[in-house]
């Protein structure tokens, strides 16, 4: 199995998946999209035929109504958040839908603080209003969609009055919000992992897509659907084929024509490529336990921290016959490896990166990798050569040229143009095309050219609170520490701002536990427990606790649930039942210094793992 990286370049992602498919002869290749927007991509491919955003983030400045659901842009996407703030200050109505309060709530026209895990009930209620009150864009629906009758029938039982007790939002607020979104000149929806990281994440996204199609709020500036991407190149890594069921550009591995195309492009004999979808990030941990996966090659990912039920994930990584980790730092995962390959950071390489707006950007090497570290592209190619593959890419531009001849979305881009213009938006299908920042203007990239409504019903979380575990846990990121903290916690200024693991708890809940702000508390689930410091924070609703997952000394993913969305195979990181108690063992930090300090750190870290 191979885990690729959403922090590396497009060319690295492309060669990594090619290595796994042609060298390891399996589709067992995945990356962090499985833990962030896999459900969004699955729903978008199903509903509109493309897994990418329809409009750039900056289109919020052209919208009359902006819905931000299940996202905290000021923490996760601060540049995008600035555009949203500016839009709100200029009169755009900003609607926040989230169980938690974010900084953007202060500028919002309204905040629908719905009960966690009830997205479908709330969104279906809004669509019920739109149908019931005749706010459907009938001409758009008739000309450009299919499946409306099935959706309409499914919505009959989802009146705001019935759904209000379930989702916790008053019926009149649901009606007002539905009218506001449907009747504005331009409405835009942006969402984050609060939508996607659920067992019903695909259904959540299906509802957002249906809401947009129902009102014709797509295909124009200031409208559309925008899943805010999590890592710097998660869009590009997904486009390049770092997923187990798709070749580059989302061409399915089960389709004979797609296999034949890539066998020809990669100079393979017919029938060489595996015709079965591979294992996903979470599925592979169970496959290791069953003895079906013996070795793994992980580039730039840290599953020992990012995977749900991290105790089990770490146990499985340690069980492998052979684990290779390629990274710029000795991460928690690298501590479990048989071989560690020191790799290159962003400013130490030349390559392209695709941001959340579908903008393919040229990055140029500024400095050399330190010490014995090598460029990732060189490492991947050397491994390929030494397992018998006839690869001879002399420059990264040769990899990009191969990519564009197998990926229709970027077929019109050339390396020379990127060097001149620095960035080009896809789709760009013919050389010289300007690229399309707004897509789906006239049709959708499905066989019929029409988008598809997919009805969704309420499905509860895999694990609900009970008498033994009465609270819910929500995980996420901090502004100061990105993802698993493998880079930012080595930045002394950032670590000085947020040095200790904290749990954000509503002040009344914290008082009820008998815990003062800054004192220890313990969070425990059916899978594990961690101790960390309590912080009184009204952004968290009563009965819920929020914890960033960046702290190795209090790795909250020891507690989270690895139950999967059946469609996208994404784990339910945003919801599980926990028990919170006062006190605990103080989390122990280790130094990331050099020499003997590093050896001591490794010993301590391995003990923790």
């Amino acid at each position: 199995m191979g885990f690729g990286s959403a922090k590396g370049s497009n060319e690295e992602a492309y060669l990594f998946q090619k290595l796994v498919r042609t060298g390891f002869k399996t589709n067992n290749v995945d990356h962090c999209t499985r833990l962030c927007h896999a459900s969004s991509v699955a729903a978008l491919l199903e509903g509109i035929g493309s897994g990418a955003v329809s409009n750039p983030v900056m289109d919020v400045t052209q919208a009359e109504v902006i819905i931000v659901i299940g996202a905290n842009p000021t923490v996760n996407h601060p540049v995008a958040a600035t555009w949203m703030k500016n839009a709100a200050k200029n009169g755009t109505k900003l609607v926040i839908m989230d169980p938690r309060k974010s900084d953007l709530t202060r500028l919002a026209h309204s905040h629908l603080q719905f009960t966690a895990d009830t997205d479908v009930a709330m969104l279906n209620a809004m669509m019920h209003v739109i149908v019931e009150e005749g706010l459907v864009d009938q001409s758009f629906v008739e000309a450009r969609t299919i499946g409306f009758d099935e959706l309409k029938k499914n919505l009959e039982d989802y009146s705001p009055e019935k759904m209000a007790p379930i989702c916790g939002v008053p019926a009149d607020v649901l009606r007002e919000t539905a009218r506001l979104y449907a009747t504005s000149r331009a409405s835009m929806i942006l969402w984050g992992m609060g939508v996607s990281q659920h067992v019903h994440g695909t259904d959540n996204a299906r509802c957002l897509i249906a809401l947009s199609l129902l009102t014709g709020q797509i295909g124009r500036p200031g409208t559309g659907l925008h899943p805010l991407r999590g890592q710097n190149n998660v869009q590009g890594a997904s486009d390049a084929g770092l997923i187990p069921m798709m070749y580059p550009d989302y061409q399915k591995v089960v389709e004979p024509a797609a296999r034949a195309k890539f066998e020809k492009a990669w100079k393979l004999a017919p029938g060489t490529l595996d015709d079965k979808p591979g294992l996903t990030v979470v599925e592979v941990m169970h496959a290791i336990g069953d003895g079906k996966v013996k070795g793994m090659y992980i580039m730039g990912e840290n599953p020992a921290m990012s995977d749900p039920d991290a105790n089990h994930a770490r146990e499985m990584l340690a069980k492998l016959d052979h684990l290779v980790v390629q990274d710029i730092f000795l991460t928690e995962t690298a501590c479990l490896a048989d071989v560690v390959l020191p790799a290159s950071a962003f400013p130490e390489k030349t390559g392209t990166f695709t941001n959340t707006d579908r903008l393919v950007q040229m990055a140029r090497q500024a400095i050399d990798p330190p010490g014995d570290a090598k460029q990732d592209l060189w490492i991947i190619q050397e491994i390929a050569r030494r397992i018998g593959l006839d690869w001879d890419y002399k420059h990264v531009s040769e990899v990009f040229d191969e990519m564009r001849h197998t990926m229709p979305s970027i077929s019109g881009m050339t390396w020379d143009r990127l060097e001149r213009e620095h960035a080009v938006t896809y789709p760009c299908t013919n050389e010289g095309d300007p690229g399309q920042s707004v897509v789906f203007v006239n049709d959708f990239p499905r066989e019929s050219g029409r988008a598809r409504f997919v009805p969704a019903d309420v499905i509860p979380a895999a694990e609900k609170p009970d008498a033994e575990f009465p609270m819910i846990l929500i995980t996420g990121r901090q502004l100061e520490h990105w993802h698993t903290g493998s880079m930012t916690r080595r930045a002394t200024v950032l670590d000085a701002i947020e040095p200790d693991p904290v749990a954000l708890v509503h002040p009344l809940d914290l008082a009820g536990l008998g815990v003062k702000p800054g004192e220890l508390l313990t969070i425990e689930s059916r899978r594990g427990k961690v101790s960390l410091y309590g912080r009184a924070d009204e952004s968290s609703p009563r009965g819920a606790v929020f914890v960033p997952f960046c702290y190795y000394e209090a790795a909250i993913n020891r507690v989270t649930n690895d139950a999967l969305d059946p469609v996208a195979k994404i784990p339910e990181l945003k919801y599980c039942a926990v028990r919170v108690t006062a006190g605990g063992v103080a989390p122990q930090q280790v130094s990331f210094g050099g020499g003997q300090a590093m050896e001591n750190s490794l010993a301590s870290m391995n003990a923790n793992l």
Side-chain angles (χ1 to χ4, degrees):
M1 174 97 186
F3 278 7
S5 176
K7 297 188 286 293
S9 70
N10 290 324
E11 293 76 20
E12 291 163 1
Y14 177 83
L15 279 198
F16 189 90
Q17 62 87 32
K18 183 179 178 182
L19 169 68
V20 174
R21 290 188 158 111
T22 62
F24 298 175
K25 303 186 188 305
T26 176
N27 288 315
N28 290 342
V29 61
D30 210 352
H31 76 294
C32 74
T33 194
R34 194 64 45 207
L35 303 177
C36 57
H37 269 302
S39 50
S40 303
V41 171
L44 288 164
L45 287 170
E46 171 191 58
I48 61 180
S50 168
V53 302
S54 68
N55 295 60
V57 177
M58 196 178 285
D59 263 21
V60 296
T61 60
Q62 300 185 57
E64 284 189 353
V65 174
I66 305 167
I67 288 180
V68 177
I69 176 169
N72 189 354
T74 51
V75 167
N76 294 301
H77 305 89
V79 175
T82 299
W83 292 328
M84 296 176 199
K85 292 174 187 175
N86 291 341
K89 290 174 182 176
N90 288 331
T92 299
K93 290 182 170 62
L94 175 62
V95 178
I96 305 296
M97 298 178 177
D98 204 297
R100 303 181 67 240
K101 293 178 182 176
S102 68
D103 288 345
L104 281 180
T105 308
R106 295 181 291 106
L107 299 174
H109 168 76
S110 58
H111 175 207
L112 278 63
Q113 192 171 13
F114 64 95
T115 304
D117 189 47
T118 63
D119 311 61
V120 170
M122 177 182 65
L123 296 170
N124 273 354
M126 288 176 58
M127 287 190 283
H128 176 99
V129 173
I130 291 167
V131 172
E132 178 190 55
E133 297 188 3
L135 302 177
V136 175
D137 186 334
Q138 207 65 46
S139 60
F140 183 93
V141 168
E142 290 175 3
R144 300 192 55 189
T145 71
I146 58 174
F148 172 69
D149 290 339
E150 291 84 351
L151 179 79
K152 181 179 179 181
K153 183 173 179 57
N154 187 66
L155 294 174
E156 289 175 358
D157 293 330
Y158 285 94
S159 71
E161 287 70 27
K162 286 184 179 179
M163 293 302 105
I166 296 172
C167 69
V169 180
D172 59 338
V173 174
L174 291 169
R175 289 186 178 277
E176 178 191 347
T177 307
R179 294 169 188 144
L180 183 70
Y181 175 82
T183 60
S184 89
R185 173 186 54 79
S187 295
M188 189 172 181
I189 302 174
L190 303 101
W191 71 94
M193 280 161 258
V195 165
S196 59
Q197 288 177 337
H198 291 275
V199 292
H200 48 77
T202 303
D203 282 334
N204 292 346
R206 284 167 173 162
C207 289
L208 296 175
I209 295 165
L211 190 60
S212 175
L213 297 175
L214 202 59
T215 54
Q217 297 284 13
I218 193 167
R220 295 176 282 114
T223 69
L225 299 157
H226 194 117
L228 291 157
R229 300 299 178 179
Q231 296 205 36
N232 62 307
N233 200 36
V234 72
Q235 182 66 61
S238 299
D239 296 340
L242 267 187
I243 39 183
M245 61 288 294
M246 305 280 188
Y247 295 122
D249 245 9
Y250 309 97
Q251 300 169 74
K252 296 179 181 178
V253 301
V254 297
E255 293 182 353
R259 292 197 302 277
K261 171 182 175 177
F262 281 94
E263 284 167 348
K264 181 179 179 181
W266 294 340
K267 298 179 173 60
L268 304 172
T272 301
L273 291 175
D274 187 6
D275 62 356
K276 298 179 294 297
L279 296 167
T280 63
V281 165
V282 177
E283 287 177 325
V284 72
M285 296 305 172
H286 300 288
I288 295 168
D290 295 337
K292 296 176 181 176
V293 171
K294 305 286 188 180
M296 287 186 67
Y297 175 17
I298 299 176
M299 182 180 82
E301 293 290 343
N302 192 11
M305 283 288 288
S306 60
D307 268 26
D309 194 4
N311 287 335
H312 177 258
R314 293 169 177 183
E315 181 184 351
M316 292 303 101
L317 290 170
K319 187 178 179 180
L320 287 163
D321 289 353
H322 195 61
L323 173 61
V324 177
V325 173
Q326 178 175 324
D327 216 318
I328 60 174
F329 292 119
L330 202 65
T331 64
E332 292 78 10
T333 302
C335 288
L336 297 169
D338 297 285
V339 176
V340 178
L341 302 174
S344 52
F346 177 85
E348 298 162 4
K349 66 184 74 173
T350 295
T352 62
F353 294 76
T354 306
N355 74 2
T356 192
D357 287 342
R358 292 180 277 104
L359 186 69
V360 181
Q361 303 171 94
M362 173 71 77
R364 294 171 176 82
Q365 182 176 354
I367 55 175
D368 292 325
D372 293 330
K374 301 292 184 183
Q375 294 207 354
D376 295 84
L377 216 58
W378 181 89
I379 297 172
I380 298 167
Q381 185 163 227
E382 284 301 306
I383 290 176
R385 285 173 172 166
R386 296 177 198 208
I387 63 173
L389 298 180
D390 185 20
W391 288 11
D392 188 25
Y393 300 98
K394 294 181 174 60
H395 189 265
V396 62
S397 61
E398 296 177 18
V399 182
F400 181 82
D401 193 59
E402 181 176 311
M403 290 173 63
R404 80 183 191 94
H405 284 96
T406 60
M407 298 171 62
S409 66
I410 62 169
S411 57
M413 293 186 200
T414 65
W415 188 262
D416 288 343
R417 180 180 175 185
L418 284 168
E419 285 195 320
R420 287 194 313 272
E421 300 180 15
H422 315 301
V424 181
T425 300
Y426 79 77
C428 178
T429 54
N430 298 301
E431 291 188 23
D433 285 354
Q436 302 173 44
S437 59
V438 177
V439 291
F440 319 135
V441 175
N442 298 311
D443 56 19
F444 294 94
R446 299 182 74 248
E447 286 186 14
S448 64
R450 292 168 173 257
R452 177 188 171 198
F453 287 106
V454 182
D457 287 310
V458 173
I459 298 172
E463 183 179 79
K464 303 289 281 187
D466 56 23
E468 187 179 4
F469 298 97
M471 297 185 74
I472 65 165
L473 170 67
I474 302 171
T475 65
R477 295 181 182 144
Q478 280 181 318
L479 175 63
E480 294 79 10
H481 291 307
W482 185 72
H483 213 243
T484 63
S486 60
M487 293 185 290
T488 53
R489 293 202 71 200
R490 289 173 166 85
T492 53
V493 173
L494 293 175
D495 205 47
I497 297 171
E498 284 286 0
D500 296 311
V502 292
L504 277 58
V505 186
H506 193 281
L508 295 178
D509 285 344
L510 203 62
L513 293 168
V515 176
K516 294 178 181 178
E519 291 183 345
L520 279 170
L521 54 78
T522 296
I523 300 173
E524 184 174 4
S525 74
R526 292 174 174 85
R527 291 156 294 280
K529 65 180 179 179
V530 297
S531 296
L532 64 176
Y533 301 100
R535 177 178 291 174
D537 193 299
E538 292 187 354
S539 67
S540 296
R542 296 290 307 273
V545 55
F546 176 85
V547 181
F549 63 95
C550 57
Y551 294 97
Y552 65 86
E553 66 271 36
I556 196 60
N557 276 328
R558 294 178 182 175
V559 175
T560 52
N561 195 354
D562 67 355
L564 300 179
D565 177 308
V567 177
K569 306 297 178 66
I570 189 171
E572 191 156 53
L573 291 166
K574 282 290 184 284
Y575 195 102
C576 73
V578 295
R579 175 171 57 236
V580 183
T581 54
V585 179
Q588 297 296 309
Q589 293 190 9
V590 295
S591 167
F592 287 111
Q596 187 61 45
M598 176 58 84
E599 290 190 18
N600 294 340
S601 298
L602 283 176
S604 175
M605 197 179 291
N606 273 317
N608 288 334
L609 290 171

